[in-house]
Each structure stands twice: as C-alpha cells, then as structure tokens.
Amino acid sequence: MLSMLRTAKIGVVASSVAFVTHQTFCADEALKANLKAEIKKHIINKKANACPMAMRIAWHSAGTFDKSDGSGGTNGGTMRFEPERSDGANNGLHIIHDMLLPIKKKYPQVSYGDLWALAGSVAVEFAGGPTIPFEMGRIDVTDAEVSKGSKNTSANGGRCPVVAIPPNGRLPDASQGAEHLRQVFGRMGFSDREIVALSGGHTLGRCHSVRSGFDGPWTKNILKFNNDYFKNLMFQDWKPRQWSGPIQYSNEDNSLMMLPTDIAIKTDPIFNKIALEYANNQNKFFEDFKLAYAKLMCLGCPSAAIPKEVKNMVDQTGGQKDMSLLFREHVMHGSFERAQQCVGNGANVHEIEVGSARSALHKAAFWNHTHIVPWLLNDCHLDPNLLDYNGDTALHDVARF
C-alpha cells in the first residue's frame, strides 16, 4: 500500500478540483408547482384518470429498498433497466411511463426518479387524499453506471459507481400473510402501524387479472382516496372466491375483493387494532399515511430528497443513513461491493468526515484495506494529499503501522 500511495504523487497539492461527482438537482417550489400541473394534465383528462397507476409506479419504484445496504428505492430511476423493468409485479406500468414521458421531455433536468415519485405523491392528493410532503433531488443512473458484473468503472465519466438494479422479488407478494408483510416492510424499516397505513393505498384502483392475476376492486369508488378500504375490510364479511384464478376473497354480493395480504391485516391481532382505528377515523389514517408514504418515497435517496417532516423518521429506521457517511463506513470495514452500491445511490466520494476531516481514503489506508485503495485512487479520484485534523495524509497513517 505504501508504494501505491507514493505513486499517487504524494506532496503535490492538487489544483482546483474540476472533478464532479453526482450533482443533486434541487428544484424550487415554482418548478414543483409546474410539474404538479403537468402531471395532473397528463394523468387526469378525458381519456383516462390514471391516479391509481401513478401511485402504483411510485410505490413499486420505492418498494425495492433494502435498508441493509441502501440499494433500491426511488433514487436512480432503476425501473428503466432489467431485471426490474420486466418484473411481473410491474406488469402494465409501461402505460404510466408513456403518459409521463412528455413531461420528462419538457423538463429534461428532472430525473425519472423524481418524476415518478412526485406523480405518485400528487396522485394521492388529486384523488382526495392528504398532501404528501415531497422534495426533489433523486439522481438517475445511466447505462454506463449499471452493473453487469464488471468492476471496471473508469469509463463512466469519473463518477465511479457500480449500480446494482434491484432483483425481482422485493415487492410484496399478495398471496402471502402477515409474516410476509412484516418481512418485506421490515426490510425497508417500517413499523406495524406504517405497514397498515401503507396498505390503505388499496383504497385507490383495482386488480386486473391480466396483470397481477387477481381481479376486482377494493372499494366502490376506485378513484377516491378515503378510508373506505378499511371500512370494507373490517365491517364486511369475506369468503374465498370460487373461480379459476389465485386465492382471493369476495364480499357477500361479490362486488368487492380482498387479497390474502388484506385479510392478514384483519386477522393479525396487532394489524387488526390499527386497521379498526383507521376504519373509524379517516383523519388519523390520512395523518399516518401521509408520513409513511413520504418516508417510503425517500428511502435510499440523497439527503436533499428527504422532506423535513420525515427526516427524523427516516434516520430512526437505520435504512437511510446519509449515503456519503455509509460509503465511508463500508470503506473503513473493507466492504468493497457495499461501498460501490453507496456511490451508485448518490454518495459523494469526496465528502470528508465532520470533526476529523478524514476521507474514505484515510479510512481504507488506516485499516489496511489494500483491495479498495486502487479503486479509491484510480476510479474515484480521491485526493491522496488531503490532510486530516492531525495534518496526516493517508500515507502517514499507513507509515505509522
């Protein structure tokens, strides 16, 4: 490692840094207002009302998040790539992609990640639900940044991320029960109350057998966001539907349906109490859904995209540590793949630790992680001349041991 760092021109103070990492695009309120108007025009018109599908694309984009490594979520707009693009759970979402595409063309500076998440958030409001706190700042990954098993990342403009597209199977399986719900939502950092609140999103839309295999609506008005889903679930009787499709449940007159995961909300003793509370109190449902959905939309995103209303909630899950901080931690522990994933999720590789002024290179050198140093120097272009709080470069740290 000593020779590696010496050949990095130690002692030559770098000139002004022209190297640019991911730039977070922070839209002002005027732009958000313009985007909101454009989204409404494109998803609610004489041809269609696509609010349920707009909420679905945002949900499915966000629902891939894994707090263990920060992968997945709305950041990156990764649904444009395989295998996420052809995940069976995303059947039919190409329709809403196409409906929102003119907005992307009009505002090319807005990422797909921001556009899809914003569309899903304002769709709730358009349908009569609560206003979802929302901030922009998601960063789309490019073709060059998508990992296809290669660790050669120097050809992508110096941004050096290797991005792992979320594998299929991270979204909830509607044929499962309460344990499955806790496993999937727990992976993202959600509590039981948040699981039930987010399940209330079924108040919008319906199932289509040609897409999910299930068929039918949860409520009488599939375009109205309210607490009817919980009223129907808790106050009506449900029995297995007799048909050739997968197991689902019907009410007495067969006009409505519930999925096995919905019935699990009713039969699980903890979920049941929360669902009954929402059935009796729409304001409480709106209050909890607003924050849970806002949190869902920003998991795995740069800090700029986390609304102040949920910043503490996100931090408490442990799933949305600042990506730059998480990057330095993974480097310090020699976890190469996880460090690469953090960069792909928006980490600023040049950010230094507050208080110690130490970079990721300092940490890799101090703990003798020789397998990561070449990547930090050659691909991420970290400055080997950077001095920490004690006046030490990374080479100084290595030389002491």
Side-chain angles (χ1 to χ4, degrees):
M1 185 186 293
L2 282 169
S3 60
M4 208 180 310
L5 287 168
R6 285 193 185 108
T7 58
K9 298 183 180 178
I10 297 294
V12 178
V13 178
S15 59
S16 299
V17 179
F19 175 78
V20 179
T21 58
H22 282 296
Q23 296 296 311
T24 300
F25 176 72
C26 296
D28 59 18
E29 292 303 312
L31 177 57
K32 281 199 290 186
N34 290 338
L35 287 171
K36 182 177 178 179
E38 288 284 345
I39 291 169
K40 187 172 186 177
K41 181 174 70 175
H42 282 83
I43 69 172
I44 303 176
N45 50 55
K46 292 181 179 180
K47 288 188 176 182
N49 184 326
C51 284
M53 187 171 279
M55 188 173 72
R56 182 170 169 239
I57 187 177
W59 210 122
H60 283 214
S61 177
T64 60
F65 180 70
D66 188 336
K67 69 177 182 179
S68 69
D69 60 10
S71 65
T74 57
N75 194 49
T78 56
M79 199 184 290
R80 295 170 293 139
F81 301 99
E82 297 293 349
E84 189 177 358
R85 177 167 55 191
S86 59
D87 189 339
N90 294 328
N91 286 344
L93 289 182
H94 65 281
I95 298 171
I96 194 70
H97 290 178
D98 292 343
M99 294 178 78
L100 296 174
L101 185 59
I103 306 174
K104 172 63 177 173
K105 291 181 177 179
K106 185 173 181 178
Y107 297 93
Q109 75 273 35
V110 175
S111 68
Y112 281 103
D114 274 340
L115 180 59
W116 295 343
L118 180 60
S121 297
V122 297
V124 171
E125 181 182 351
F126 295 158
T131 299
I132 308 297
F134 187 89
E135 295 295 341
M136 303 184 70
R138 292 158 189 79
I139 307 158
D140 284 342
V141 297
T142 66
D143 290 353
E145 294 171 332
V146 175
S147 173
K148 292 182 173 62
S150 170
K151 292 189 177 181
N152 178 14
T153 61
S154 59
N156 59 12
R159 305 206 301 185
C160 79
V162 173
V163 179
I165 304 303
N168 294 349
R170 287 192 178 183
L171 295 171
D173 178 354
S175 68
Q176 301 294 315
E179 182 179 351
H180 172 74
L181 289 177
R182 288 191 172 96
Q183 179 182 22
V184 170
F185 284 89
R187 188 200 66 225
M188 294 185 275
F190 287 106
S191 67
D192 282 354
R193 177 168 287 275
E194 290 169 323
I195 293 172
V196 178
L198 289 171
S199 297
H202 284 169
T203 196
L204 275 188
R206 55 166 292 154
C207 289
H208 301 79
S209 58
V210 295
R211 293 174 188 157
S212 65
F214 300 100
D215 177 66
W218 290 275
T219 69
K220 295 289 187 181
N221 189 345
I222 64 173
L223 299 177
K224 179 68 175 177
F225 195 98
N226 53 30
N227 68 336
D228 281 358
Y229 163 78
F230 291 110
K231 290 180 178 178
N232 294 339
L233 176 64
M234 302 306 292
F235 302 143
Q236 295 196 43
D237 293 325
W238 300 93
K239 59 184 178 181
R241 177 179 175 181
Q242 302 303 313
W243 73 315
S244 60
I247 294 176
Q248 64 178 65
Y249 296 81
S250 298
N251 63 347
E252 289 187 359
D253 64 5
N254 294 315
S255 62
L256 301 175
M257 62 84 66
M258 290 288 165
L259 302 168
T261 45
D262 298 315
I263 298 301
I265 297 291
K266 184 172 185 176
T267 56
D268 181 89
I270 298 176
F271 288 159
N272 176 284
K273 292 178 181 178
I274 302 167
L276 189 59
E277 180 182 357
Y278 292 156
N280 289 315
N281 189 335
Q282 179 171 280
N283 289 337
K284 180 58 178 173
F285 165 51
F286 277 21
E287 176 187 337
D288 288 354
F289 181 88
K290 174 180 70 175
L291 295 178
Y293 195 81
K295 172 180 168 180
L296 175 67
M297 289 300 105
C298 66
L299 293 176
C301 294
S303 58
I306 304 176
K308 64 181 185 299
E309 292 89 343
V310 298
K311 195 170 286 287
N312 289 337
M313 293 171 58
V314 172
D315 290 341
Q316 288 169 3
T317 69
Q320 177 53 46
K321 275 185 141 178
D322 181 85
M323 281 296 133
S324 303
L325 170 62
L326 198 58
F327 165 73
R328 293 193 301 276
E329 288 188 3
H330 286 319
V331 168
M332 180 175 68
H333 294 292
S335 183
F336 190 22
E337 273 190 36
R338 292 186 188 280
Q340 290 176 312
Q341 289 171 350
C342 285
V343 180
N345 286 322
N348 177 3
V349 298
H350 296 284
E351 183 178 283
I352 61 175
E353 188 174 67
V354 176
S356 72
R358 291 171 65 76
S359 69
L361 185 61
H362 281 98
K363 293 178 177 293
F366 185 93
W367 294 105
N368 200 34
H369 294 308
T370 57
H371 62 297
I372 290 183
V373 168
W375 176 65
L376 295 174
L377 288 171
N378 301 325
D379 292 81
C380 296
H381 303 278
L382 265 67
D383 183 3
N385 304 301
L386 182 69
L387 303 179
D388 69 6
Y389 76 103
N390 200 40
D392 292 333
T393 65
L395 179 59
H396 290 137
D397 278 346
V398 176
R400 285 201 182 122
F401 299 98

